[in-house]
Amino acid sequence: MSATGRRRPLREALIDIDAIEHNVRHLRRLMQTEVIAVVKADGYGHGAVRAAEAALAGGASRLGVADIGEALALRAAGITAPVVAWLHAPDEDFRAAAEHGIELGISSFAQLQAAAAAASGDQPVGVHLKVETGLGRNGVEPREWRRVCAEAARLERVGRLRVVGVFSHLSNTTADDDRAALARFHEALAEAAAVGVTPPLRHIAASHAAIALPEARLNCVRLGIAVYGLSPIAGRESADLGLRPAMTLRTAVAAVRRVPAGQGVSYGYTHRAAAETTLALVPLGYADGAPRHASGRGPVVIGGRRFTVAGRIAMDQFVVDVGDADVAVGDEVVLFGDPTLGEPSAADWADAAETIDYEIVTRIGARVHRTTVTAEEGEDRR
């Protein structure tokens, strides 16, 4: 039971919407550009609607999602801000997007034609033309770029399309790689302008480049992981960047048992007690987003003390060897949150699983209850 009398869910992710608002406001002030807050994949696991609302409150002027379904879900929730969706199925029908004022990322001549066909009456479809600058993924091929831009300009003149932006994406491999891609992007902008495409927005930088490569900010940035208070830059902590992690993943000890030396723990007995010890059962597993690859390495905090997962993480649970610490059933277990509060970070779990913090927060499962909190409700984190 919490201090407010609310019974806590078995597995809970606290989502600090004030942190999201703060992060966007801080980054927007730093970058002095328009911000597209990316809320794809259910807001990187934080909840797309709550993340969108907080990001808009922090000064984002647009929202970004991967697909049209995600954009329509925002509209269904009452969000009226501009939304751009950029990843489409083959032969995607853009009519629903057009009806709801969803802007479309365009990566081919065929997509451009389909977007124009979805326009109705005096309502042109807003598009962002994506040019491939070396990432090897989506985007108009350089050899097709002039043709696509020329057709976009024609369709804009006849009122079928409104070219809102030109964009691309960076690899974040090295600063030199990103500068080379940025140079190709500037060439593409010049080629577009030569055939009459001069949109108000130009965006190539996501969180990493927006922070680490100021010349890539142009007049618009797409911020994803940084919105949620996680650092996109290896070796740089969130606090170093002025960011506050928005998600705290917690549960409570479900069982405690004293065991003798040699006791095996979890499947495969990859951990055996070195001496008589206490084992605490944590009711959260890989079905909930605790990566199995972090078995034997994932950190938790119980009662203000840091411990490590003992043995393999199972689907619903894992075990922590707490030695002689005074741990009881019901004690709070924090897997990750804000390291400035003494909690492990999502990056700590990413290191333990040999992955990235993006994956840690995005993979949190549906069984984990999301609870919205604000700065004034900080006592819920203790």
Side-chain angles (χ1 to χ4, degrees):
M1 193 80 71
S2 72
T4 62
R6 175 177 62 86
R7 182 176 294 279
R8 289 181 177 175
L10 178 61
R11 311 168 186 91
E12 185 175 33
L14 300 178
I15 311 300
D16 185 345
I17 56 173
D18 287 348
I20 294 174
E21 182 177 338
H22 159 81
N23 295 332
V24 174
R25 182 175 293 110
H26 166 68
L27 293 166
R28 187 172 183 273
R29 185 166 51 241
L30 172 68
M31 294 164 190
Q32 296 295 303
T33 62
E34 182 164 339
V35 169
I36 300 173
V38 181
V39 296
K40 64 183 180 179
D42 197 29
Y44 287 49
H46 294 68
V49 173
R50 67 167 64 88
E53 291 172 341
L56 292 168
S61 54
R62 267 180 171 74
L63 302 170
V65 295
D67 59 56
I68 292 170
E70 292 177 320
L72 294 175
L74 294 176
R75 288 286 187 261
I79 292 175
T80 59
V83 182
V84 55
W86 50 70
L87 187 61
H88 313 301
D91 302 319
E92 183 82 66
D93 185 342
F94 292 138
R95 285 177 296 181
E99 290 169 8
H100 289 86
I102 306 302
E103 296 170 358
L104 301 171
I106 298 298
S107 289
S108 69
F109 193 86
Q111 287 181 356
L112 185 73
Q113 291 179 313
S120 61
D122 59 353
Q123 288 294 107
V125 176
V127 299
H128 297 239
L129 305 178
K130 184 174 186 182
V131 58
E132 156 67 347
T133 55
L135 193 58
R137 302 195 314 189
N138 226 345
V140 177
E141 291 282 351
R143 64 177 177 270
E144 284 286 300
W145 180 244
R146 180 177 286 266
R147 175 177 176 238
V148 169
C149 289
E151 179 65 1
R154 184 188 73 80
L155 291 167
E156 190 168 43
R157 287 194 301 271
V158 300
R160 304 297 291 176
L161 295 180
R162 177 171 51 91
V163 183
V164 178
V166 169
F167 75 117
S168 192
H169 202 28
L170 298 171
S171 71
N172 306 330
T173 305
T174 67
D176 286 343
D177 284 311
D178 285 351
R179 288 190 176 102
L182 181 59
R184 289 191 287 271
F185 187 66
H186 281 297
E187 292 169 1
L189 289 173
E191 196 170 357
V195 294
V197 173
T198 55
L201 299 182
R202 303 177 301 282
H203 49 107
I204 192 171
S207 292
H208 184 284
I211 294 170
L213 196 68
E215 61 264 42
R217 293 171 186 166
L218 305 178
N219 71 342
C220 183
V221 294
R222 298 185 309 274
L223 300 180
I225 198 67
V227 165
Y228 307 100
L230 302 183
S231 171
I233 303 172
R236 301 282 302 276
E237 301 291 335
S238 296
D240 298 337
L241 303 175
L243 304 175
R244 288 164 40 193
M247 181 188 289
T248 299
L249 181 62
R250 70 182 186 181
T251 181
V253 174
V256 174
R257 70 183 65 249
R258 193 73 178 167
V259 299
Q263 170 72 51
V265 176
S266 195
Y267 295 123
Y269 285 176
T270 58
H271 176 90
R272 291 181 183 270
E276 183 180 349
T277 192
T278 298
L279 302 179
L281 181 66
V282 178
L284 192 150
Y286 59 75
D288 308 300
R292 190 172 184 272
H293 280 82
S295 295
R297 297 189 296 270
V300 301
V301 164
I302 306 174
R305 294 185 58 180
R306 190 167 176 133
F307 301 100
T308 302
V309 173
R312 287 185 179 152
I313 295 172
M315 184 180 291
D316 313 301
Q317 57 199 285
F318 61 83
V319 174
V320 177
D321 185 337
V322 300
D324 296 321
D326 184 14
V327 172
V329 171
D331 285 354
E332 181 180 82
V333 183
V334 176
L335 279 75
F336 63 79
D338 187 344
T340 67
L341 301 177
E343 299 162 347
S345 67
D348 291 333
W349 273 85
D351 291 343
E354 299 181 352
T355 184
I356 56 176
D357 50 8
Y358 300 65
E359 184 178 356
I360 297 300
V361 292
T362 303
R363 69 187 297 167
I364 299 304
R367 293 194 306 192
V368 177
H369 184 272
R370 272 69 166 178
T371 301
T372 300
V373 298
T374 64
E376 288 74 20
E377 298 168 314
E379 69 273 8
D380 278 354
R381 303 195 55 188
R382 304 304 195 274

